[in-house]
Amino acid sequence: MSVLAYVESFKGKIKKNALEIVSYSRELAIKLDTNLVTIVLNVDDTSELNKHGASKVLKVTNSELESFDAKLYANVIAQAAKANNSNYIVLSSSLDTRYLAPLLSIELEAGYISNVVELPSSLNPFTIKRTSFTNKAFCDSTIDSDIKIIGLSSNAFGISENNTEGLLEDFNPTLSEKKITINSTEKVSGKISIADADIVVSAGRGLKGPENWNIIEELAETLGAATACSKPVSDMGWRPHSEHVGQTGKPVATNLYIAIGISGAIQHLAGINSSKIKVVINNDPEAPFFKAADYGVVGDAFDVVPRLTEKLKAFKA
Amino acid sequence: MKVLVCISHVPDTTSKINFTDGDTVFDSQGVQFVINPNDEFGLTRAMWFKEKQNATIDVINVGSSNTEPTLRKALAIGADKAIRIDSEPIDGMFVSKEIAEYIKSNHYDLIIAGRESIDYNGGMVPGLIAGLLQINFVTNCTKLEIEGTKATFEREIDGGKEILSCDLPLIIGGQKGLVEESDLRIPNMRGIMQARQKPLEVIPPSTSSSKTKSIKFYKPAPREEVKLVSPDNLDQLIDLLHNEAKVL
């Protein structure tokens, strides 16, 4: 028996969300009184994983795995799980990992629960808490199969450091044939993505036009935050679709979500609800978002935002 | 080309979410049900294949007779035939096995599902069906073109997008982008009348097993009242975020 954590990387670097997966998996392994095994693809320096509690690191190095392929990746993780008798597999909620998770579930005949927010509350029957109804409720779910896959929500558990003596093992899986061809990839470079961001600064129709986004971008830059927008704003073409957050857009589960000039339609709130702290800046004190926020400023965005940015610059300095 | 669209029957976004039977079951009383939004983007894209490329469109749902109005709506939008597998869905695996069984005996070139349903949010049904049938699969699919036996599609990735291609058969987890919100169709009277005449086949479930169960639901604790900060005192906001919320 062991817990297997899949560590995501991008261009040879371990992704930050993976450290949360390792931290969670370590606690899970302690609860189960077993070992934590991590698997990482095409990363040279894996010492960071030991710092967060990995007792064994499986290192896969193969140029065929340079670009993501859900089927191949799922198959590699399945081989690692079998080789290590892993009956618990912990995955993140990134788009790539959510893509491979159901394929892995079939390969291992494992029950899979996504959007998990806590450690299991009971081991027998194995019971774990997840979000449901687009963050409007929680649900205790049981997994009845021998092998269990846990998809952890982003920012649900946090990152902890636990220096551990680590065993490093080269793992050489056999690779199946690729069936899907990647013709091109477009990644916005130099800008932090909504999925990777600790802080998201989001703006809505209250900004009155795309030409006014400079104040949003400046605030985001000061905070090291990603920028996002409400649905009407992306529908009107003021901002790219990739920035649209909400029920039909991107989900956001960040530490701090700052909503500027967004009224807070229920579809928008559904998408951002699992963010920890929500701040609203809006000139309409009746905006529904104030009911869903932790902190609020009733005021004109064009007055408040530039002054907040200046104060934050001073605070950071 | 034969297309199957998987339709999840979900409470409308604005519904009040309550539970009954000791918080073990969703309380559907007074709740308006709709086609899952992610599925509706896919269905609308499928209509385009029907109109431009002569595809036939079937829709499928695993559920009790309560879901039939939702299937009829899909027929009114323009699907040719509906299939209802007569069973309460237990979990994503159960639903996927039932749909996969149906596909095994009814060939489809393209299967469209939503990236996730807005009720249980499992985000796994299209992937599980792909794994069960060993066919090509993409999720977070935001564009899809079919030419002959080849599909070209766009996938949302964290921080960008990818253009991909593969051979049919293919199953996708679709979302907004397949079509835009403004392309969604409201059934007209003619569609609604025609839908009444279209076949809605009810078939018994095969003997699929589930692997997980939802045993208890609860709602988040009521949140505390928002703390308002004066726009003339933004230092206080920074202080609260730093010292109280500890997010700065």
Side-chain angles (χ1 to χ4, degrees):
Chain A
M1 171 157 131
S2 67
V3 173
L4 178 67
Y6 166 52
V7 172
E8 264 180 291
S9 59
F10 179 65
K11 290 194 173 156
K13 289 230 161 37
I14 291 168
K15 284 178 70 167
K16 204 180 128 224
N17 73 26
L19 300 179
E20 184 178 27
I21 296 303
V22 175
S23 304
Y24 176 92
S25 304
R26 175 183 171 272
E27 297 273 336
L28 178 66
I30 290 171
K31 219 174 155 123
L32 293 160
D33 198 16
T34 186
N35 295 323
L36 167 61
V37 181
T38 58
I39 178 165
V40 57
L41 276 48
N42 292 329
V43 171
D44 279 338
D45 180 8
T46 59
S47 57
E48 216 177 345
L49 299 176
N50 303 118
K51 226 185 280 173
H52 295 274
S55 46
K56 181 174 173 183
V57 177
L58 302 176
K59 218 170 134 169
V60 181
T61 310
N62 190 317
S63 59
E64 286 287 298
L65 297 167
E66 274 312 325
S67 53
F68 178 80
D69 182 293
K71 197 168 178 210
L72 250 65
Y73 275 43
N75 185 255
V76 167
I77 299 168
Q79 290 178 48
K82 284 175 186 157
N84 290 275
N85 288 321
S86 309
N87 36 7
Y88 294 84
I89 294 137
V90 184
L91 304 174
S92 79
S93 288
S94 74
L95 292 184
D96 282 356
T97 304
R98 291 181 68 118
Y99 182 5
L100 70 80
L103 302 175
L104 180 64
S105 162
I106 296 294
E107 287 219 29
L108 294 173
E109 294 181 39
Y112 162 46
I113 298 279
S114 53
N115 302 317
V116 166
V117 289
E118 283 177 6
L119 284 164
S121 57
S122 148
L123 296 178
N124 197 12
F126 187 86
T127 311
I128 203 157
K129 185 176 172 183
R130 67 186 298 265
T131 61
S132 67
F133 292 91
T134 321
N135 297 312
K136 283 188 253 179
F138 293 103
C139 170
D140 282 338
S141 298
T142 57
I143 310 182
D144 313 322
S145 51
D146 290 340
I147 303 179
K148 301 168 178 70
I149 302 177
I150 297 165
L152 184 68
S153 277
S154 306
N155 272 320
F157 194 75
I159 297 173
S160 56
E161 288 204 8
N162 292 282
N163 257 315
T164 310
E165 285 288 305
L167 200 70
L168 192 63
E169 188 181 298
D170 282 319
F171 184 67
N172 296 306
T174 49
L175 298 186
S176 52
E177 189 198 342
K178 275 188 194 175
K179 295 275 178 60
I180 296 183
T181 315
I182 302 176
N183 303 333
S184 65
T185 302
E186 265 177 50
K187 213 161 171 149
V188 188
S189 58
K191 248 187 109 181
I192 185 156
S193 77
I194 292 171
D196 293 332
D198 280 331
I199 304 177
V200 171
V201 176
S202 189
R205 253 186 304 197
L207 266 282
K208 299 198 168 79
E211 67 280 7
N212 296 324
W213 242 258
N214 55 332
I215 60 169
I216 302 301
E217 278 168 349
E218 205 178 335
L219 174 59
E221 198 179 319
T222 307
L223 288 166
T227 51
C229 71
S230 67
K231 183 169 157 304
V233 163
S234 85
D235 284 350
M236 290 184 290
W238 292 2
R239 300 296 290 178
H241 281 304
S242 55
E243 283 198 3
H244 163 205
V245 297
Q247 184 165 267
T248 50
K250 270 200 182 60
V252 179
T254 183
N255 277 330
L256 173 59
Y257 184 78
I258 304 178
I260 300 160
I262 300 178
S263 63
I266 197 157
Q267 290 86 346
H268 185 82
L269 297 179
I272 60 99
N273 234 337
S274 46
S275 293
K276 285 222 178 75
I277 299 291
K278 282 148 265 181
V279 175
V280 175
I281 300 170
N282 202 305
N283 59 7
D284 174 12
E286 302 296 319
F289 215 138
F290 282 108
K291 288 202 168 61
D294 300 281
Y295 303 104
V297 179
V298 179
D300 180 12
F302 297 104
D303 163 51
V304 173
V305 175
R307 285 195 294 115
L308 181 62
T309 305
E310 285 314 309
K311 284 183 184 295
L312 280 165
K313 277 184 187 157
F315 170 79
K316 295 250 166 190
Chain B
M1 176 166 61
K2 276 188 76 185
V3 181
L4 180 68
V5 184
C6 306
I7 301 285
S8 190
H9 161 88
V10 299
D12 178 39
T13 319
T14 52
S15 310
K16 289 257 178 293
I17 303 297
N18 288 304
F19 301 99
T20 176
D21 287 6
D23 287 334
T24 57
V25 186
F26 175 69
D27 185 358
S28 58
Q29 211 159 24
V31 170
Q32 172 90 31
F33 281 83
V34 296
I35 299 175
N36 181 45
N38 291 310
D39 306 348
E40 196 176 350
F41 291 118
L43 175 64
T44 311
R45 184 67 194 146
M47 289 312 301
W48 200 92
F49 293 132
K50 175 175 167 156
E51 285 153 13
K52 303 279 196 298
Q53 290 173 267
N54 256 327
T56 56
I57 314 297
D58 292 354
V59 291
I60 192 166
N61 167 266
V62 179
S64 70
S65 58
N66 293 338
T67 72
E68 286 194 5
T70 301
L71 284 173
R72 287 277 175 214
K73 187 183 171 196
L75 292 172
I77 288 171
D80 299 295
K81 179 176 123 179
I83 301 108
R84 179 170 69 80
I85 298 174
D86 189 21
S87 173
E88 283 294 338
I90 306 168
D91 70 347
M93 183 67 88
F94 175 86
V95 169
S96 305
K97 282 181 178 169
E98 289 296 332
I99 294 176
E101 277 308 310
Y102 183 81
I103 295 168
K104 274 183 199 164
S105 44
N106 296 272
H107 173 83
Y108 289 96
D109 304 289
L110 173 67
I111 299 140
I112 298 177
R115 72 167 185 209
E116 68 174 16
S117 67
I118 63 164
D119 50 2
Y120 295 95
N121 313 106
M124 62 182 79
V125 166
L128 293 175
I129 296 173
L132 289 164
L133 297 173
Q134 290 296 310
I135 58 175
N136 290 330
F137 163 55
V138 64
T139 194
N140 294 105
C141 183
T142 46
K143 279 196 172 66
L144 175 64
E145 301 288 346
I146 308 286
E147 215 169 299
T149 59
K150 217 160 177 65
T152 306
F153 42 91
E154 185 180 287
R155 170 174 87 98
E156 182 189 354
I157 57 175
D158 284 328
K161 59 187 179 184
E162 257 176 6
I163 312 287
L164 306 145
S165 56
C166 72
D167 290 328
L168 298 179
L170 165 72
I171 178 163
I172 69 156
Q175 63 182 47
K176 190 179 142 188
L178 279 177
V179 299
E180 290 309 319
E181 209 117 349
S182 52
D183 299 322
L184 295 178
R185 300 173 183 198
I186 299 161
N188 56 23
M189 193 43 79
R190 191 161 151 258
I192 294 167
M193 297 303 283
Q194 280 174 345
R196 291 188 190 162
Q197 310 299 324
K198 287 179 180 174
L200 193 162
E201 202 178 307
V202 179
I203 58 173
S206 56
T207 51
S208 300
S209 56
S210 63
K211 290 199 190 294
T212 66
K213 276 184 201 73
S214 302
I215 55 169
K216 195 176 176 64
F217 292 94
Y218 32 105
K219 294 203 273 184
R223 53 180 315 119
E224 280 180 39
E225 190 98 341
V226 59
K227 271 191 194 163
L228 288 179
V229 175
S230 157
D232 301 320
N233 193 5
L234 295 175
D235 288 318
Q236 190 198 352
L237 179 64
I238 294 173
D239 179 63
L240 286 167
L241 291 175
H242 180 63
N243 291 313
E244 188 178 78
K246 300 192 189 311
V247 287
L248 281 188

